[in-house]
Amino acid sequence: GAGVSQSPSNKVTEKGKDVELRCDPISGHTALYWYRQRLGQGLEFLIYFQGNSAPDKSGLPSDRFSAERTGGSVSTLTIQRTQQEDSAVYLCASSFTGTSGETQYFGPGTRLLVL
Amino acid sequence: QKEVEQNSGPLSVPEGAIASLNCTYSDRVSQSFFWYRQYSGKSPELIMSIYSNGDKEDGRFTAQLNKASQYVSLLIRDSQPSDSATYLCAVNFLVSGGYQKVTFGTGTKLQVIP
């Protein structure tokens, strides 16, 4: 079956521009996570959607970052007025909640470069 | 204190040896534990999950869980150069609303020397 997909796979933008990154989770997965990973660094949690609950936005680094999840499926991460330090790979993961908890599956990521 | 802690490494082992990767987690309600492998430039991929105390074996991989000590480990037997990657430990913690939220460690870089 189809896995998690993300688009675009690569994005080059100029400082100050807005960007939108898209994530299509695995069908039926109720939870969706966004992470940022800078070169050579670990996963940095950004935001977590679970079902119809209010999202956990505790990882968003500034108010330039926002995310939506429409209809409990597709999610969009928006970065406004991009800065060079926003350059990173943005990873989306979706998960189902089984009897023993959640199992996450990652998309291929969007590589963002801010010039 | 971080919720999930790993030694960043690098951990270097000779080909054919056993690689031992360790992870500790904070004193919170947790139900399930995972090991992911991440090759350079790629996304993390799930390799093992474990839910109860003890050992779980899958091929050359063995996950070990000790909830009393808040410790989970991954053993890789007969290490191969293709095992060289960063290994991420992940823990499901119970959060408000009865949901579970996955938290990752920063990963341990493993280098298998031919």
Side-chain angles (χ1 to χ4, degrees), chain A residues 34-50:
Chain A
W34 283 99
Y35 298 92
R36 178 170 70 181
Q37 189 170 36
R38 293 192 168 108
L39 188 63
Q41 303 297 310
L43 295 175
E44 180 184 358
F45 165 75
L46 296 178
I47 189 168
Y48 163 51
F49 296 90
Q50 173 59 271

Side-chain angles (χ1 to χ4, degrees), chain A residues 23-63:
Chain A
C23 172
D24 282 90
I26 294 171
S27 178
H29 280 194
T30 58
L32 187 149
Y33 295 73
W34 283 99
Y35 298 92
R36 178 170 70 181
Q37 189 170 36
R38 293 192 168 108
L39 188 63
Q41 303 297 310
L43 295 175
E44 180 184 358
F45 165 75
L46 296 178
I47 189 168
Y48 163 51
F49 296 90
Q50 173 59 271
N52 296 320
S53 300
D56 177 352
K57 304 179 182 180
S58 60
L60 294 178
S62 76
D63 59 7

Side-chain angles (χ1 to χ4, degrees), chain A:
Chain A
V4 179
S5 60
Q6 293 186 244
S7 61
S9 54
N10 293 281
K11 177 72 176 179
V12 181
T13 191
E14 294 179 347
K15 178 181 173 180
K17 300 283 189 182
D18 298 352
V19 295
E20 284 190 352
L21 312 179
R22 177 186 169 105
C23 172
D24 282 90
I26 294 171
S27 178
H29 280 194
T30 58
L32 187 149
Y33 295 73
W34 283 99
Y35 298 92
R36 178 170 70 181
Q37 189 170 36
R38 293 192 168 108
L39 188 63
Q41 303 297 310
L43 295 175
E44 180 184 358
F45 165 75
L46 296 178
I47 189 168
Y48 163 51
F49 296 90
Q50 173 59 271
N52 296 320
S53 300
D56 177 352
K57 304 179 182 180
S58 60
L60 294 178
S62 76
D63 59 7
R64 296 187 297 105
F65 288 74
S66 63
E68 291 184 339
R69 188 178 186 192
T70 54
S73 181
V74 172
S75 178
T76 302
L77 177 69
T78 301
I79 308 174
Q80 296 178 311
R81 305 180 302 281
T82 52
Q83 303 294 310
Q84 288 181 332
E85 63 262 27
D86 298 335
S87 297
V89 175
Y90 289 81
L91 290 162
C92 174
S94 71
S95 62
F96 66 89
T97 302
T99 54
S100 301
E102 293 191 7
T103 301
Q104 281 198 0
Y105 296 89
F106 283 82
T110 293
R111 285 158 179 75
L112 175 66
L113 177 62
V114 182
L115 301 177

Side-chain angles (χ1 to χ4, degrees), chain B:
Chain B
Q1 180 188 1
K2 292 181 181 177
E3 292 188 308
V4 181
E5 296 211 48
Q6 296 181 256
N7 188 316
S8 61
L11 172 66
S12 294
V13 300
E15 183 174 356
I18 296 175
S20 178
L21 303 160
N22 305 314
C23 173
T24 57
Y25 57 94
S26 65
D27 185 18
R28 291 178 54 193
V29 177
S30 49
Q31 185 175 16
S32 42
F33 309 84
F34 305 90
W35 283 99
Y36 286 78
R37 177 175 62 199
Q38 187 175 26
Y39 291 114
S40 181
K42 301 294 185 181
S43 297
E45 57 177 328
L46 178 69
I47 54 172
M48 288 285 288
S49 58
I50 186 165
Y51 310 112
S52 45
N53 281 327
D55 294 0
K56 179 181 178 182
E57 186 174 321
D58 183 0
R60 294 187 296 112
F61 298 96
T62 298
Q64 299 175 318
L65 175 61
N66 184 326
K67 290 187 178 182
S69 300
Q70 295 163 213
Y71 179 93
V72 58
S73 64
L74 180 69
L75 301 178
I76 306 175
R77 290 182 299 282
D78 188 24
S79 296
Q80 301 297 308
S82 59
D83 295 326
S84 298
T86 296
Y87 288 80
L88 301 168
C89 173
V91 179
N92 268 341
F93 290 110
L94 190 65
V95 296
S96 61
Y99 294 111
Q100 298 194 35
K101 178 183 172 184
V102 175
T103 299
F104 280 85
T106 54
T108 298
K109 186 173 183 178
L110 173 66
Q111 296 176 339
V112 180
I113 311 301

